[in-house]
Amino acid sequence: MAWFLCLCLFLAVGLALLALQLKLRASLRGPRELPSLPALPLIGSLLSLGSSHPPHVLFQELQKKYGETYSLMMGSHRVIIVNQHVHAKEVLLKKGKVFAGRPRTVTTDLLTRDAKDIAFGDYSPTWRFHRKIVHGALCMFGEGSASIEKIICQEAQSLCSTMSDVTEGGLALDLSPELTRAVTNVICSLCFNSSYSRGDPEFEMMLRYSQGIVDTVAKDSLVDIFPWLQIFPNAGLRLLKQCVSTRDSLLQKKYDEHRADYSDHVQRDLLDALLRAKRSAENNNNTEISAETVNLSDDHVLMTVGDIFGAGVETTSTVLKWAVAYLIHYPQVQKRIQEELDIKVGSDRSPQLSDRGSLPYLEATIRELLRIRPVAPLFIPHVALSNTSIGEFQVRKGTRVIINLWSIHHDEREWKNPQMFDPCRFLNSEGTAVVIPSPSFLPFGAGVRVCLGEALAKMEIFLFLSWILQRFTLSLPPGDSLPSLEGKFGVVLQPARFKVHATPRPGWDRHKSQAC
Ligand code: STR
């Protein structure tokens, strides 16, 4: 018996020692290497990336073989793809500053005069200062200011009367340019204190150049992966150059007009606020901040306004277009929003921002739209500014990180039936309040580079949708097929074009008092 006990003890000690040694070896090995796609010299992993899927779907599919976080080579650049929220938050929040860099690419350099803007500019003291000024100016003229609500309501009013005019003739309407004009005018009022009327040639020109930029910039096109391809004729790059030069002359015109009648005493708009910040920084050139502002050149101001303009228009109008497409696909959702509006707002007045709290179903629908069709499915790539790690994986300085918001918003462990459009997932069980059911929801990003226009975008989406749905029911024109919900991949994910019928709702008379 005694020898049996001794044997057991001996075995137990032996096993414990073995386990300890294995654990020690694992911890000595340190962070692990990431699983990687095969790569060849020069072309990198290009051969494994040939697929009919758009990049966000392909990166989601590749998880099955390589795990949620993996790496690949784009030309000579190592790129990490993050497909789940824990690692995404580590990159954006926990190690936000380490991952705050941006890659330089041929197309974004062309768009931003070598990264002198906020969205594509690399992390630096000048960038931080620059972002702070823009944030301050946006707060003053946008978020939280009563006047912005008035501007949005004015545009909603004009959008609805255009819709009435067209539908009175019984015509089907492509809402896309109308929604874009409404959103553009909000940004125009904010940036330049001006607006466009229907058919304005300058607005038509803006629509064209902006679409050209969205179609060609920052979509990991071949010139961005292999910069030496620039020396060959390239239709995409030619189009981008044309569009950027049209945009630049428009921005320059606005800038010159503002400089000509600038006064220190009146701030009419965001451009005035930026000019003022630039001048005051120049005047205080012996203070501590001024050391950081040396590079806040005219180019910086122009490129920033270009960012705000481009981001403000393309993102919000895209969400509204998706909203219309989904409401046509899901008439029962549209009906429930209208019922909520009828009860909480009625038809004697128009919806206003203070109604947001009492329209939870509409708010939940907006969240579900932002989840199911994220505006920027791959965000803008980040760059590690020093050696670091993501989870247990080591990451070397200079590595690019792409966060696949598409995977994060369609993660089956976080969302039940993620392909299903179901606003109720964002409501509590009584249907009386909005909730965020999963931490896997990041429509505006997070951390040092979080979207600057989040509050403005939410106000616009809420007001435009509530005004439209109070007055009209949107439906498919007879004989047309339902709009595709797939989306065209680019720096933003846009729906295909389609026409709608906007039928005035019974009880809504266009000549009724339309005060905001
Ligand atoms: C749209 C087209 C344009 O005229 C200018 C810009 C510059 C800013 C870009 C914008 C673009 C597309 C959406 C972006 C935005 C900066 C932040 C935003 C990429 C290319 C997003 O991250 C969704």
Side-chain angles (χ1 to χ4, degrees):
M1 192 63 188
W3 66 265
F4 180 70
L5 274 177
C6 275
L7 186 70
C8 285
L9 200 68
F10 182 73
L11 277 176
V13 171
L15 279 174
L17 278 176
L18 192 73
L20 200 72
Q21 197 187 1
L22 282 177
K23 207 172 159 200
L24 208 71
R25 214 183 278 169
S27 70
L28 279 180
R29 217 188 302 135
R32 284 203 294 136
E33 283 287 337
L34 271 164
S36 297
L37 268 68
L40 290 170
L42 281 176
I43 63 165
S45 311
L46 212 59
L47 295 180
S48 320
L49 296 175
S51 148
S52 53
H53 291 308
H56 54 284
V57 180
L58 171 64
F59 291 156
Q60 184 190 29
E61 290 291 309
L62 286 170
Q63 284 184 91
K64 290 184 194 137
K65 190 158 172 204
Y66 297 97
E68 294 156 336
T69 304
Y70 53 84
S71 86
L72 52 89
M73 296 295 290
M74 278 192 186
S76 55
H77 298 288
R78 180 160 295 282
V79 184
I80 296 177
I81 313 288
V82 172
N83 289 290
Q84 50 107 321
H85 71 94
V86 177
H87 284 173
K89 287 190 175 159
E90 187 174 344
V91 171
L92 298 174
L93 290 165
K94 197 167 150 208
K95 297 179 180 158
K97 282 192 183 160
V98 181
F99 285 104
R102 286 285 196 231
R104 294 284 293 267
T105 66
V106 174
T107 57
T108 55
D109 273 2
L110 262 172
L111 180 70
T112 61
R113 300 195 182 161
D114 297 333
K116 292 201 186 61
D117 70 329
I118 307 241
F120 299 102
D122 204 0
Y123 190 69
S124 69
T126 313
W127 178 87
R128 273 205 313 264
F129 174 74
H130 196 174
R131 186 174 156 115
K132 216 159 81 191
I133 292 183
V134 176
H135 184 67
L138 265 176
C139 284
M140 199 178 313
F141 282 97
E143 306 157 12
S145 96
S147 65
I148 193 69
E149 177 168 9
K150 235 179 168 166
I151 295 173
I152 303 173
C153 289
Q154 241 165 29
E155 289 308 321
Q157 159 87 74
S158 133
L159 172 72
C160 291
S161 55
T162 306
M163 287 170 70
S164 285
D165 291 344
V166 176
T167 47
E168 250 174 30
L171 291 173
L173 173 68
D174 177 1
L175 268 182
S176 169
E178 302 309 327
L179 293 170
T180 309
R181 189 163 55 85
V183 173
T184 306
N185 279 342
V186 173
I187 289 285
C188 256
S189 297
L190 208 75
C191 288
F192 311 127
N193 194 23
S194 64
S195 65
Y196 295 113
S197 49
R198 203 166 184 224
D200 185 321
E202 193 174 284
F203 171 69
E204 304 288 332
M205 180 178 89
M206 210 218 76
L207 272 188
R208 274 196 305 275
Y209 84 62
S210 203
Q211 188 58 51
I213 294 176
V214 171
D215 287 343
T216 49
V217 87
K219 44 193 287 190
D220 283 319
S221 52
L222 285 177
V223 275
D224 282 341
I225 302 173
F226 308 113
W228 45 267
L229 280 178
Q230 283 173 87
I231 57 171
F232 299 109
N234 176 329
L237 214 54
R238 210 175 317 124
L239 174 66
L240 178 61
K241 283 180 186 162
Q242 260 169 22
C243 292
V244 169
S245 111
T246 317
R247 179 200 69 164
D248 286 355
S249 45
L250 195 133
L251 287 181
Q252 190 69 50
K253 192 178 101 194
K254 301 276 184 200
Y255 193 48
D256 293 342
E257 283 166 9
H258 270 68
R259 267 197 308 201
D261 50 15
Y262 173 81
S263 146
D264 269 333
H265 311 296
V266 222
Q267 274 190 45
R268 296 158 295 180
D269 48 36
L270 198 115
L271 191 46
D272 271 354
L274 289 178
L275 275 172
R276 184 190 197 151
K278 176 170 152 49
R279 289 187 187 196
S280 85
E282 281 162 2
N283 292 339
N284 291 329
N285 54 2
N286 47 2
T287 66
E288 198 196 317
I289 329 165
S290 72
E292 297 186 345
T293 61
V294 177
N295 292 326
L296 202 68
S297 57
D298 287 342
D299 272 1
H300 280 93
V301 176
L302 271 179
M303 293 302 107
T304 295
V305 177
D307 258 14
I308 297 173
F309 210 77
V313 171
E314 289 304 331
T315 52
T316 310
S317 61
T318 299
V319 179
L320 291 173
K321 290 180 218 168
W322 279 121
V324 176
Y326 271 93
L327 292 174
I328 290 179
H329 272 261
Y330 294 85
Q332 70 279 20
V333 172
Q334 183 173 186
K335 190 154 170 265
R336 188 160 162 193
I337 299 175
Q338 287 172 329
E339 284 165 1
E340 191 181 64
L341 278 164
D342 291 347
I343 296 169
K344 302 288 171 43
V345 181
S347 58
D348 291 333
R349 66 171 180 91
S350 297
Q352 54 202 33
L353 284 179
S354 55
D355 293 316
R356 258 168 90 175
S358 46
L359 297 169
Y361 189 73
L362 174 56
E363 281 290 312
T365 309
I366 295 173
R367 288 184 192 192
E368 177 67 346
L369 280 165
L370 293 170
R371 180 196 71 82
I372 202 160
R373 287 296 174 270
V375 174
L378 296 181
F379 287 138
I380 305 176
H382 289 246
V383 169
L385 297 170
S386 56
N387 286 341
T388 176
S389 59
I390 301 179
E392 53 183 347
F393 301 116
Q394 66 183 43
V395 175
R396 270 182 278 279
K397 180 179 172 180
T399 307
R400 299 179 178 187
V401 180
I402 291 181
I403 294 181
N404 190 354
L405 190 59
W406 180 267
S407 300
I408 293 172
H409 282 185
H410 289 86
D411 187 337
E412 274 169 2
R413 286 155 305 178
E414 298 290 332
W415 307 97
K416 200 172 151 208
N417 299 329
Q419 307 304 336
M420 225 171 81
F421 180 67
D422 175 17
C424 288
R425 63 172 99 236
F426 284 97
L427 283 180
N428 64 0
S429 51
E430 295 82 42
T432 49
V434 230
V435 291
I436 306 248
S438 159
S440 199
F441 183 59
L442 291 167
F444 295 92
V448 266
R449 285 194 181 263
V450 66
C451 172
L452 276 171
E454 176 171 348
L456 176 62
K458 285 178 170 164
M459 290 193 261
E460 288 189 76
I461 298 167
F462 171 79
L463 285 172
F464 284 129
L465 285 183
S466 58
W467 275 61
I468 294 175
L469 293 176
Q470 184 190 40
R471 291 159 172 77
F472 302 96
T473 298
L474 306 173
S475 59
L476 196 66
D480 283 11
S481 41
L482 280 166
S484 159
L485 296 177
E486 202 184 324
K488 184 171 112 195
F489 176 79
V491 67
V492 290
L493 183 73
Q494 291 177 323
R497 303 194 83 151
F498 56 92
K499 288 195 170 173
V500 289
H501 244 296
T503 316
R505 296 190 61 215
W508 183 263
D509 169 357
R510 64 177 302 202
H511 304 296
K512 222 178 228 180
S513 146
Q514 289 164 337
C516 178

